[in-house]
Amino acid sequence: MIGGLFIYNHKGEVLISRVYRDDIGRNAVDAFRVNVIHARQQVRSPVTNIARTSFFHVKRSNIWLAAVTKQNVNAAMVFEFLYKMCDVMTAYFGKISEENIKNNFVLIYELLDEILDFGYPQNSETGALKTFITQQGIKSQTKEEQSQITSQVTGQIGWRREGIKYRRNELFLDVLESVNLLMSPQGQVLSAHVSGRVVMKSYLSGMPECKFGMNDKIVIDKQGKGGTTDDTGKSGKQSIAIDDCTFHQCVRLSKFDSERSISFIPPDGEYELMRYRTTKDIILPFRVIPLVREVGRTKLEVKVVIKSNFKPSLLAQKIEVRIPTPLNTSGVQVICMKGKAKYKASENAIVWKIKRMAGMKESQISAEIELLPTNDKKKWARPPISMNFEVPFAPSGLKVRYLKVFEPKLNYSDHDVIKWVRYIGRSGIYETRC
Amino acid sequence: MTDSKYFTTTKKGEIFELKAELNSDKKEKKKEAVKKVIASMTVGKDVSALFPDVVNCMQTDNLELKKLVYLYLMNYAKSQPDMAIMAVNTFVKDCEDPNPLIRALAVRTMGCIRVDKITEYLCEPLRKCLKDEDPYVRKTAAVCVAKLHDINAQLVEDQGFLDTLKDLISDSNPMVVANAVAALSEIAESHPNSNLLDLNPQTINKLLTALNECTEWGQIFILDCLANYTPRDDRESQSICERVTPRLSHANSAVVLSAVKVLMKFMEMLPKDLDYYGTLLKKLAPPLVTLLSAEPELQYVALRNINLIVQKRPEILKHEMKVFFVKYNDPIYVKLEKLDIMIRLASQANIAQVLAELKEYATEVDVDFVRKAVRAIGRCAIKVEQSAERCVSTLLDLIQTKVNYVVQEAIVVIKDIFRKYPNKYESVIATLCENLDSLDEPEARAAMIWIVGEYAERIDNADELLESFLEGFHDESTQVQLQLLTAIVKLFLKKPTETQELVQQVLSLATQDSDNPDLRDRGYIYWRLLSTDPVAAKEVVLAEKPLISEETDLIEPTLLDELICHIGTLASVYHKPPSAFVEGSRGVQHKRLPARAGSGESAESPEVGQSGTSEAPPAVIPSQGDLLGDLLNLDLAPATTTVPSVQPSMQMGAMDLLGGGLDSLMGDESDTLGGDIGGSPSMGAALGAPAAMPAALSNAPAVGGGLGDLFDLGGGVGMPTGFYVAPKTLFLPAMKAKGLEISGTFARRGGIIQMDLSLTNKAMSVMTDFAIQFNRNSFGLAPAGPLQVLTPLTPNQTIDVSLPLGTTGPVMKMEPLNNLQVAVKNNIDVFYFSCQYPLSLLFVEDGKMERQVFLATWKDIPNDNEAQFQIKDVHLNSDAASNKLQGSNIFTIAKRTVDAQDMLYQSIKLTNGIWVLAEMRVQTGNPNYTVNRNKESCQ
């Protein structure tokens, strides 16, 4: 199991050091600093073995978190734990920075004591932790409160406490998708997938039982068989094939496995209900058509056309096209029909920004790039043209069909709950080779 | 108020000041002071002098302060054991506190204070806490048992905590169950033979129930524990799989990977024709792909594991090639791993896409990545024959870029392509030769020289090219020197007239001016060959080379199976067994996959991890590939994985050779090696020329003697039908092994081959951590279990161990045939020795051939395969001899008496399926036996 956990600043100074096991000595702290933080080359692996001691590290801005062990630990678990640790810290004091860590070091030690016992990760749900680890120290609790805390921390529903009350029962569902594309210069889709998340903000009283439904092909087909036949054709078209999905720990996985229904008691506040991935029938919101011509040895002509490919009534926002330029660029002239374009020498790219663009439109940029003559034999690698955007629909085609709330003990019904659903499609890694 | 100020105090006299503050009456000031102490402790300052003052602050109602003091205690208690006792009272009192959080805090902290004296006081509170009414306290106490076990294992056993811990597996609270499982698993790891985690269908059922209810971490503990269980039959296996599969949709990647581990392992037991087996295969792919959308560090862990899974069950991900395409912004460690998997998944169906991608990668910035991409193109060519031509043209395109390292890498892989498809792509040689000057890496130079030598007859100026390398001969690396020597000799044999001067020059450079024994030896061998028998030289040097194999850097199957049992863990990230990087007894235990249903093995050995191969570092013993490669003058890049040397046809050759070697062993002195080497003339030539002659000569008497030994028993007493066991001989003198003396012998008992070893410690210090490993050998002998030296070997102590051997290890012909190279490891070093085992060790119990079969086979055996020799001074009659021999699995099929001579017809079967038939003539009264031996290899 995890033998120790260290947090360093960018200089390699230790901010937090917590050792859980005897086999981890003080020298481990230095070994990591010398061999990884101060290493000359770029980090080649997130797992490093130094003198039979293994170091796992993640970096958040310029803070290094390192878990140390001498055993054959579950590596995936260690990384998941480090991410969780970051989440917990962020939930307690915001951004992970040297300043914040130093200001909250007592709290961090307290957290580390609670969520890692002898190197075994324990309950690390912030909702539960916040009930008894506070910066003010423990308030004197009544006996009931104490046992409620412990039963929550160890209980089956560790992510929600009892007795939550809202005057207005409300929930927000955000379907956030990032669409990833790699396209060849000829316009052939090399790989495309959507990775989506359903984020839920719930402000519901009591211990509500929720059921979430979407246009999952498997579910719809199953219903189609049992239901009316003329319906299937229509719904079959609208349903989507989900390659795989993962759920927050509140979702009953065995029920999903057997009936493919998503039922759960949600945590209070914001959390990620599910993640999913689709690869079939993706709506690619934009198409990039590059044209790069080398004119002699000192000049490049670049022309890029972007086409929006969705309903004309919808508007895409925050559109940014990034056209890489060679390292020996000396000057750039750009002409674009829409938006603003600038050559950014420090980033070796032309950045073209468009605030808004409706569906089924087309826009174009052309640029002349002057190059300094070099005798560098190495050819310019031509990095792909990348794109950023935000569209108000789900590129995967996912639709929320329902989210039902049942709370038998309190007297509010599914109809009383105010529900909001929003779809946002963003670009993930959206690249076209040129 | 910010706490960061505590990090900045660096005044002198600080300790003194802190002392005063700690003793202050004001609570706030006290707390501030303790915070300062903790901050100093964090940055590595020694504040142990404040121990009594800090401990004094312990008696407080303020929980925050209490936690800080506890933190301090955990750090310094060990250095101040006497003072730490002062804290005990508070702990004991806290364990009775009405607040469960405080009770748990006390028991948690107490376990972290690693002072022997304190542990005694810990027992009572711990016992209470294990039975506490509050689950939070129980789950903390469960972990505390593991802590205590780490400090004092005996105490935990004596106090009966292990049983209490076992009871907690049935606890009503899932988190208590999870922590108890975690603690028990860890304790069990340090007691490999105990049946601590008594996994039976009932407990498994409890675990599976808790699995649905506990935290994500608890699910990981339980799944990892489940993976150690071996189901009784395929039905149980299936039902567990069914209950584990829902975990594949968990958001936590570690839960997913641990579930994959359980499924991969239990799948072994399912019959392949089962519908469920196919369903399971299909279910595994999507979650594995989803892992690739996790954060990069987790992606890395996932990719390393997918690499193993793809090798074990390629069918799972064969359609998912695209997800492994490299993204421009992936961290380099993710890119390199993806590339590896792409090559593994490359097939005729997707090769076009893969090649297009690889070409793209070859223009990237990171040098390592580009090199690997170029190499990958070469590997695709070798793997998918249809793509070879496109790969070659892609490589030529890349050579045109003139980027130095790309060119060099391309030349290295083109050499491999030539080895796979000889006489097909020689047209590109001209292009390669243009780049001769830019090659500055030894591997690339060696590859280029090899190409020039190999195709010398088609390169007009081959002599000039090679001569140009010769100028700086002594500055070259050994690899290049050896290659140059061979290439020039090849050139000479192909164009003897123009190159006589050149070859003399290189031979004298190699033999007279070089300090390198390898180079000198090779030089002399060539020289002698050329001067005595140029025809033989041609046969040796220009022999046809075996083709190289497709898959090159595959993980060795037994290791792969072990790593599959470790999916998700560090072992799977390093691709090494845990023993390679974990100290001490933990993890040295080897895990293995369960046997498929129906095979007897699973029933006999339900305990996982009892068996396994040895754990000496695998790299120390030269692998077969390197050795053979060397002999075949293919010493290009011995260290890299891309130079493949062993492939099926060659192994066949080796088997054949074995047959040939067997003849010589059986006493046929006239049969010099290489006579009937079957399909692989080059092997014979290469092996035969340098080394085989003297070895073959010395073989026969040695083994003849061994056979004689079998008869010697006749004079002695002992079990008449038992297997003859030679007395122990000294294998490894203490002088050579830092005080470890090993003597031993071999025996066959009840069908199991055993190596009896006596280990004597003649050094001054205690020896521990013994392990054994064999090099590849003629009959694939390999340890079937770990070397059982459980107690440390104290000075002057001798310990006798019996190591069971299997015959399923890797095969390589040895000289002499029954030679065995062994590596023994202990805490001091790794030692090597070689010994010879009696061939009779390999005679199997079912070696009795049917009479008719015997008759038919006897007639079919060609005369070449016949050998004859005499055994002298045996005073036994034929029946006694026959009985005696039967004890050693030499079976008498028939007996005939002709002219006062008893003719015994006997059959022997070797572990590798080769039959030996013998006719033994015993003349009554004549102590000399004449034996005619025939051998037949039977596939």
Side-chain angles (χ1 to χ4, degrees):
Chain A
M1 284 304 120
I2 298 172
L5 206 139
F6 308 125
I7 303 181
Y8 301 83
N9 65 8
H10 66 286
K11 283 185 263 175
E13 292 164 355
V14 198
L15 303 178
I16 297 286
S17 118
R18 177 75 165 92
V19 175
Y20 293 94
R21 300 249 170 166
D22 233 18
D23 51 6
I24 303 301
R26 187 81 203 170
N27 51 357
V29 183
D30 303 321
F32 183 75
R33 179 190 16 252
V34 173
N35 289 293
V36 180
I37 303 183
H38 291 170
R40 290 224 183 94
Q41 311 120 317
Q42 191 193 354
V43 179
R44 295 308 256 197
S45 159
V47 187
T48 325
N49 193 324
I50 307 161
R52 290 199 153 216
T53 310
S54 300
F55 295 82
F56 299 77
H57 74 263
V58 298
K59 233 184 139 186
R60 287 289 179 271
S61 61
N62 53 15
I63 297 294
W64 299 75
L65 277 89
V68 193
T69 183
K70 284 210 165 184
Q71 297 181 26
N72 182 29
V73 295
N74 188 321
M77 183 186 79
V78 175
F79 280 123
E80 283 284 1
F81 176 78
L82 288 174
Y83 301 142
K84 196 77 183 189
M85 177 76 203
C86 293
D87 291 348
V88 170
M89 289 198 288
T90 317
Y92 266 95
F93 51 77
K95 195 173 167 276
I96 295 174
S97 65
E98 184 172 353
E99 189 64 22
N100 277 345
I101 286 172
K102 280 183 171 174
N103 278 336
N104 294 284
F105 81 96
V106 174
L107 170 75
I108 294 175
Y109 276 124
E110 208 175 316
L111 286 170
L112 282 176
D113 199 38
E114 185 57 46
I115 60 178
L116 210 53
D117 191 5
F118 200 43
Y120 293 113
Q122 304 290 307
N123 194 338
S124 45
E125 285 299 310
T126 28
L129 288 173
K130 276 190 170 171
T131 58
F132 68 108
I133 295 183
T134 56
Q135 277 159 302
Q136 282 77 45
I138 286 206
K139 291 167 237 139
S140 56
Q141 299 129 325
T142 63
K143 204 157 182 204
E144 288 81 65
E145 279 174 337
Q146 284 164 6
S147 71
Q148 203 192 317
I149 289 171
T150 56
S151 80
Q152 195 201 334
V153 174
T154 60
Q156 290 184 25
I157 306 169
W159 53 87
R160 188 179 180 93
R161 64 190 168 90
E162 299 223 24
I164 297 171
K165 278 203 181 71
Y166 288 100
R167 191 176 298 162
R168 200 156 90 130
N169 288 300
E170 204 171 11
L171 64 85
F172 301 84
L173 267 182
D174 281 350
V175 177
L176 306 172
E177 295 197 337
S178 83
V179 51
N180 298 278
L181 170 75
L182 185 62
M183 196 176 251
S184 76
Q186 292 76 33
Q188 186 194 0
V189 177
L190 296 173
S191 75
H193 74 273
V194 167
S195 55
R197 306 185 297 143
V198 178
V199 175
M200 183 170 169
K201 261 182 245 169
S202 71
Y203 304 104
L204 303 168
S205 311
M207 296 298 259
E209 177 73 45
C210 297
K211 210 172 166 189
F212 174 69
M214 55 187 176
N215 56 342
D216 178 0
K217 194 163 190 285
I218 298 177
V219 177
I220 305 248
D221 287 357
K222 220 191 266 174
Q223 286 172 347
K225 267 177 219 156
T228 50
T229 40
D230 52 56
D231 218 39
T232 45
K234 217 168 81 188
S235 60
K237 201 176 154 196
Q238 280 168 357
S239 64
I240 61 161
I242 290 175
D243 287 23
D244 188 37
C245 46
T246 60
F247 296 100
H248 185 268
Q249 56 170 324
C250 66
V251 177
R252 292 181 190 90
L253 293 179
S254 33
K255 210 157 179 193
F256 178 75
D257 196 57
S258 55
E259 304 162 22
R260 222 172 158 87
S261 76
I262 303 165
S263 63
F264 53 97
I265 295 171
D268 195 38
E270 185 174 336
Y271 73 102
E272 190 179 287
L273 175 66
M274 73 177 277
R275 274 176 190 237
Y276 57 92
R277 188 167 44 82
T278 71
T279 45
K280 287 197 189 73
D281 304 321
I282 294 168
I283 309 157
L284 295 170
F286 285 95
R287 163 96 207 267
V288 178
I289 305 155
L291 199 77
V292 181
R293 210 159 65 91
E294 289 178 40
V295 187
R297 297 206 56 189
T298 57
K299 203 167 146 191
L300 274 179
E301 277 179 13
V302 180
K303 197 171 100 177
V304 176
V305 181
I306 59 168
K307 283 184 181 167
S308 60
N309 176 35
F310 44 88
K311 269 192 246 163
S313 57
L314 297 174
L315 274 182
Q317 292 183 55
K318 300 177 191 168
I319 302 151
E320 186 184 289
V321 182
R322 187 170 281 267
I323 304 159
T325 56
L327 296 173
N328 55 337
T329 302
S330 62
V332 175
Q333 273 106 46
V334 232
I335 311 157
C336 59
M337 288 156 46
K338 226 179 156 197
K340 281 178 188 163
K342 238 188 216 165
Y343 166 62
K344 294 197 172 165
S346 59
E347 293 166 39
N348 288 313
I350 300 167
V351 180
W352 176 25
K353 287 183 179 171
I354 305 169
K355 274 198 185 131
R356 261 175 231 98
M357 190 165 170
M360 307 315 274
K361 288 264 162 49
E362 188 176 313
S363 190
Q364 185 183 324
I365 185 173
S366 42
E368 274 186 26
I369 302 169
E370 306 273 341
L371 301 175
L372 289 171
T374 56
N375 41 15
D376 194 4
K377 263 190 193 166
K378 210 167 142 186
K379 230 178 70 185
W380 177 48
R382 283 206 189 179
I385 294 174
S386 58
M387 221 191 142
N388 288 318
F389 53 79
E390 201 179 290
V391 289
F393 60 91
S396 70
L398 183 130
K399 289 266 182 329
V400 176
R401 288 171 59 221
Y402 56 81
L403 201 150
K404 293 178 195 150
V405 181
F406 311 96
E407 168 53 336
K409 283 184 197 150
L410 300 172
N411 57 347
Y412 70 92
S413 75
D414 185 39
H415 300 291
D416 302 330
V417 181
I418 304 160
K419 300 168 191 169
W420 305 86
V421 182
R422 179 166 65 155
Y423 299 91
I424 300 173
R426 293 201 182 97
S427 52
I429 294 161
Y430 204 86
E431 292 176 340
T432 307
R433 288 185 180 148
C434 58
Chain B
M1 183 199 83
T2 67
D3 284 351
S4 55
K5 61 173 185 272
Y6 302 121
F7 281 84
T8 50
T9 51
T10 48
K11 282 174 284 177
K12 267 192 177 176
E14 189 193 356
I15 297 277
F16 189 74
E17 234 168 71
L18 280 172
K19 210 179 177 83
E21 282 174 41
L22 284 169
N23 291 317
S24 152
D25 295 334
K26 285 179 198 151
K27 273 190 178 170
E28 255 330 285
K29 203 154 196 188
K30 252 189 191 176
K31 199 165 133 187
E32 295 286 288
V34 177
K35 278 191 186 179
K36 276 186 210 165
V37 172
I38 301 290
S40 310
M41 196 174 86
T42 300
V43 296
K45 274 184 221 156
D46 183 19
V47 284
S48 60
L50 295 166
F51 200 87
D53 309 282
V54 178
V55 172
N56 272 337
C57 302
M58 197 169 159
Q59 289 279 10
T60 171
D61 301 334
N62 185 323
L63 203 62
E64 195 188 2
L65 182 57
K66 196 171 236 167
K67 283 185 178 173
L68 287 175
V69 175
Y70 281 179
L71 190 62
Y72 179 90
L73 264 176
M74 286 185 254
N75 251 322
Y76 287 113
K78 225 181 166 188
S79 56
Q80 312 252 345
D82 294 328
M83 300 260 220
I85 298 285
M86 287 162 54
V88 166
N89 247 338
T90 322
F91 281 126
V92 175
K93 219 176 87 196
D94 278 358
C95 285
E96 309 271 332
D97 197 280
N99 186 341
L101 293 174
I102 294 190
R103 291 204 295 277
L105 178 65
V107 79
R108 187 165 66 210
T109 315
M110 250 178 126
C112 297
I113 295 177
R114 306 178 56 93
V115 176
D116 272 337
K117 285 177 196 159
I118 286 195
T119 50
E120 292 165 26
Y121 297 96
L122 178 60
C123 293
E124 272 324 297
L126 178 58
R127 198 187 313 283
K128 263 186 215 154
C129 289
L130 279 167
K131 301 222 157 94
D132 199 286
E133 52 167 23
D134 195 294
Y136 184 77
V137 181
R138 288 203 301 277
K139 71 116 185 158
T140 313
V143 176
C144 191
V145 176
K147 291 178 188 170
L148 191 59
H149 185 269
D150 197 33
I151 308 168
N152 191 342
Q154 198 55 47
L155 186 71
V156 171
E157 275 169 47
D158 295 347
Q159 296 278 340
F161 284 139
L162 294 181
D163 293 324
T164 324
L165 203 53
K166 274 191 213 168
D167 293 344
L168 287 183
I169 291 193
S170 317
D171 199 281
S172 58
N173 185 294
M175 196 155 167
V176 177
V177 178
N179 275 5
V181 167
L184 275 174
S185 304
E186 181 165 349
I187 294 171
E189 233 175 67
S190 49
H191 290 279
N193 296 320
S194 74
N195 202 13
L196 201 54
L197 254 172
D198 174 30
L199 293 176
N200 54 47
Q202 285 77 36
T203 40
I204 291 296
N205 198 27
K206 281 175 197 158
L207 293 183
L208 286 168
T209 312
L211 185 63
N212 288 324
E213 294 164 351
C214 61
T215 64
E216 44 195 329
W217 315 116
Q219 297 187 13
I220 299 169
F221 304 151
I222 291 178
L223 287 169
D224 283 352
C225 174
L226 270 181
N228 290 328
Y229 176 65
T230 308
R232 286 162 310 171
D233 51 31
D234 50 330
R235 279 178 52 206
E236 191 188 2
S237 180
Q238 178 175 345
S239 84
I240 296 175
C241 287
E242 278 166 0
R243 292 177 71 178
V244 166
T245 33
R247 299 298 121 198
L248 293 175
S249 309
H250 202 285
N252 188 314
S253 306
V255 175
V256 176
L257 267 179
S258 290
V260 168
K261 164 164 61 191
V262 175
L263 296 175
M264 282 292 286
K265 209 176 151 185
F266 289 8
M267 242 171 133
E268 280 295 301
M269 288 186 70
L270 299 176
K272 283 199 168 171
D273 46 356
L274 197 69
D275 283 349
Y276 182 70
Y277 180 84
T279 321
L280 203 53
L281 275 183
K282 268 188 216 128
K283 276 194 177 172
L284 276 171
L288 287 173
V289 173
T290 299
L291 291 176
L292 297 182
S293 49
E295 289 86 344
E297 292 87 2
L298 266 176
Q299 275 187 51
Y300 174 74
V301 174
L303 286 165
R304 294 291 285 175
N305 278 291
I306 289 172
N307 199 328
L308 297 173
I309 293 167
V310 165
Q311 287 183 58
K312 181 74 193 166
R313 298 194 181 278
E315 62 270 34
I316 295 178
L317 287 166
K318 65 178 176 205
H319 299 303
E320 303 288 348
M321 170 61 93
K322 274 188 178 178
V323 297
F324 297 103
F325 284 179
V326 170
K327 291 182 191 136
Y328 192 71
N329 290 323
D330 281 338
I332 182 68
Y333 50 80
V334 169
K335 284 185 177 174
L336 292 172
E337 292 308 316
K338 280 188 174 171
L339 200 50
D340 248 352
I341 295 168
M342 278 174 69
I343 302 164
R344 293 209 195 288
L345 292 177
S347 67
Q348 204 184 332
N350 56 24
I351 194 73
Q353 266 184 324
V354 174
L355 264 184
E357 281 295 306
L358 291 176
K359 200 176 171 186
E360 203 63 47
Y361 303 161
T363 59
E364 282 225 29
V365 201
D366 190 284
V367 178
D368 284 352
F369 181 59
V370 171
R371 281 174 180 270
K372 200 164 181 174
V374 176
R375 253 176 216 238
I377 297 175
R379 278 170 64 186
C380 284
I382 291 163
K383 195 173 170 191
V384 186
E385 189 164 353
Q386 293 80 359
S387 76
E389 196 155 345
R390 292 172 62 180
C391 293
V392 171
S393 74
T394 310
L395 287 169
L396 283 179
D397 286 352
L398 290 171
I399 288 177
Q400 299 304 342
T401 62
K402 305 275 178 200
V403 178
N404 190 282
Y405 54 84
V406 173
V407 173
Q408 309 212 36
E409 210 62 46
I411 286 179
V412 173
V413 291
I414 287 181
K415 181 252 318 172
D416 286 345
I417 295 176
F418 282 173
R419 291 269 281 106
K420 170 82 182 178
Y421 309 108
N423 305 320
K424 211 164 167 196
Y425 300 110
E426 281 66 32
S427 52
V428 307
I429 291 175
T431 324
L432 303 185
C433 289
E434 287 166 20
N435 294 287
L436 214 55
D437 302 331
S438 63
L439 307 179
D440 51 14
E441 289 161 26
E443 207 187 339
R445 285 172 84 84
M448 192 64 222
I449 292 169
W450 182 86
I451 293 171
V452 174
E454 189 64 19
Y455 297 101
E457 69 272 28
R458 310 189 196 183
I459 306 171
D460 292 338
N461 59 346
D463 49 343
E464 286 168 35
L465 293 174
L466 291 176
E467 201 171 359
S468 69
F469 281 105
L470 208 54
E471 281 161 21
F473 188 77
H474 289 297
D475 302 328
E476 300 281 3
S477 72
T478 311
Q479 194 186 5
V480 181
Q481 288 176 335
L482 284 169
Q483 210 43 252
L484 195 53
L485 173 61
T486 305
I488 292 180
V489 172
K490 280 184 194 163
L491 173 70
F492 171 71
L493 289 168
K494 287 173 179 173
K495 301 179 183 175
T497 44
E498 310 111 82
T499 55
Q500 201 151 10
E501 218 168 284
L502 194 64
V503 81
Q504 271 169 357
Q505 203 183 341
V506 76
L507 286 174
S508 80
L509 277 171
T511 54
Q512 286 160 22
D513 305 334
S514 171
D515 301 333
N516 185 328
D518 285 348
L519 186 62
R520 251 189 350 241
D521 283 359
R522 191 182 286 188
Y524 278 126
I525 287 170
Y526 285 146
W527 204 328
R528 219 149 290 173
L529 266 174
L530 292 173
S531 55
T532 52
D533 189 354
V535 181
K538 221 166 192 167
E539 266 173 39
V540 172
V541 181
L542 300 181
E544 196 178 313
K545 271 157 276 308
L547 301 180
I548 54 174
S549 75
E550 302 175 357
E551 288 293 346
T552 47
D553 54 351
L554 287 179
I555 294 173
E556 196 253 321
T558 47
L559 178 62
L560 179 64
D561 283 355
E562 195 187 343
L563 292 178
I564 289 288
C565 299
H566 287 291
I567 283 177
T569 68
L570 263 181
S572 70
V573 174
Y574 293 146
H575 289 184
K576 282 178 190 165
S579 51
F581 59 91
V582 175
E583 278 169 1
S585 59
R586 271 196 187 123
V588 176
Q589 206 179 354
H590 286 263
K591 297 190 178 179
R592 63 171 179 190
L593 292 173
R596 200 164 287 283
S599 90
E601 199 188 15
S602 65
E604 280 162 26
S605 53
E607 239 164 276
V608 180
Q610 279 303 302
S611 140
T613 43
S614 63
E615 60 256 35
V620 291
I621 297 176
S623 71
Q624 179 185 11
D626 293 344
L627 272 178
L628 286 174
D630 228 23
L631 285 168
L632 291 172
N633 305 335
L634 296 169
D635 40 13
L636 300 153
T640 55
T641 49
T642 31
V643 179
S645 338
V646 189
Q647 48 87 256
S649 85
M650 193 142 131
Q651 281 201 330
M652 284 303 293
M655 287 306 289
D656 249 6
L657 259 183
L658 221 72
L662 202 64
D663 276 342
S664 67
L665 267 183
M666 291 309 193
D668 187 350
E669 300 186 15
S670 65
D671 183 6
T672 48
L673 227 139
D676 62 339
I677 338 163
S680 174
S682 64
M683 283 280 302
L687 280 168
M693 281 294 282
L697 287 171
S698 62
N699 253 351
V703 179
L707 282 167
D709 279 349
L710 291 177
F711 289 94
D712 280 349
L713 228 162
V717 276
M719 315 161 291
T721 49
F723 179 85
Y724 170 70
V725 181
K728 284 184 180 170
T729 50
L730 186 64
F731 286 159
L732 182 71
M735 295 260 290
K736 280 188 176 169
K738 301 184 181 167
L740 175 67
E741 186 180 280
I742 300 179
S743 58
T745 185
F746 295 87
R748 189 176 182 97
R749 297 188 185 97
I752 295 161
I753 304 173
Q754 285 179 320
M755 185 178 191
D756 295 336
L757 292 172
S758 292
L759 308 174
T760 310
N761 183 353
K762 297 205 165 169
M764 304 300 285
S765 58
V766 177
M767 296 176 178
T768 55
D769 302 341
F770 284 94
I772 194 164
Q773 188 170 25
F774 293 174
N775 193 3
R776 293 164 198 234
N777 52 66
S778 315
F779 293 93
L781 280 178
L787 191 60
Q788 298 279 0
V789 186
L790 296 173
T791 46
L793 196 58
T794 50
N796 274 328
Q797 190 194 354
T798 300
I799 196 166
D800 289 327
V801 281
S802 224
L803 179 72
L805 305 182
T807 51
T808 49
V811 174
M812 177 174 67
K813 186 180 181 290
M814 297 298 295
E815 291 291 346
L817 201 59
N818 58 342
N819 193 14
L820 182 65
Q821 295 178 339
V822 182
V824 169
K825 190 197 87 165
N826 63 12
N827 58 330
I828 298 166
D829 205 340
V830 181
F831 310 108
Y832 305 97
F833 63 85
S834 63
C835 52
Q836 296 184 0
Y837 46 87
L839 209 60
S840 53
L841 202 61
L842 304 160
F843 298 173
V844 295
E845 277 69 17
D846 61 351
K848 190 158 186 163
M849 199 179 250
E850 286 284 317
R851 217 176 243 258
Q852 267 71 27
V853 182
F854 186 93
L855 218 61
T857 322
W858 183 267
K859 284 181 192 150
D860 288 348
I861 299 170
N863 285 339
D864 299 2
N865 287 0
E866 195 171 315
Q868 195 178 75
F869 64 95
Q870 286 202 332
I871 301 166
K872 293 196 171 108
D873 294 331
V874 188
H875 300 278
L876 282 175
N877 67 26
S878 57
D879 289 338
S882 161
N883 274 340
K884 204 123 283 177
L885 289 169
Q886 180 132 3
S888 294
N889 294 335
I890 301 170
F891 299 93
T892 306
I893 308 293
K895 184 180 160 186
R896 192 155 64 117
T897 312
V898 183
D899 304 341
Q901 279 190 349
D902 286 339
M903 315 273 271
L904 295 176
Y905 291 91
Q906 295 164 322
S907 73
I908 302 164
K909 190 183 170 194
L910 296 182
T911 48
N912 54 0
I914 293 177
W915 286 92
V916 179
L917 310 184
E919 175 192 64
M920 182 154 74
R921 246 174 288 168
V922 183
Q923 208 162 8
T924 331
N926 185 347
N928 296 352
Y929 287 13
T930 308
V931 181
N932 264 322
R933 286 180 185 279
N934 283 343
K935 79 102 197 158
E936 185 216 2
S937 89
C938 159
Q939 254 70 40

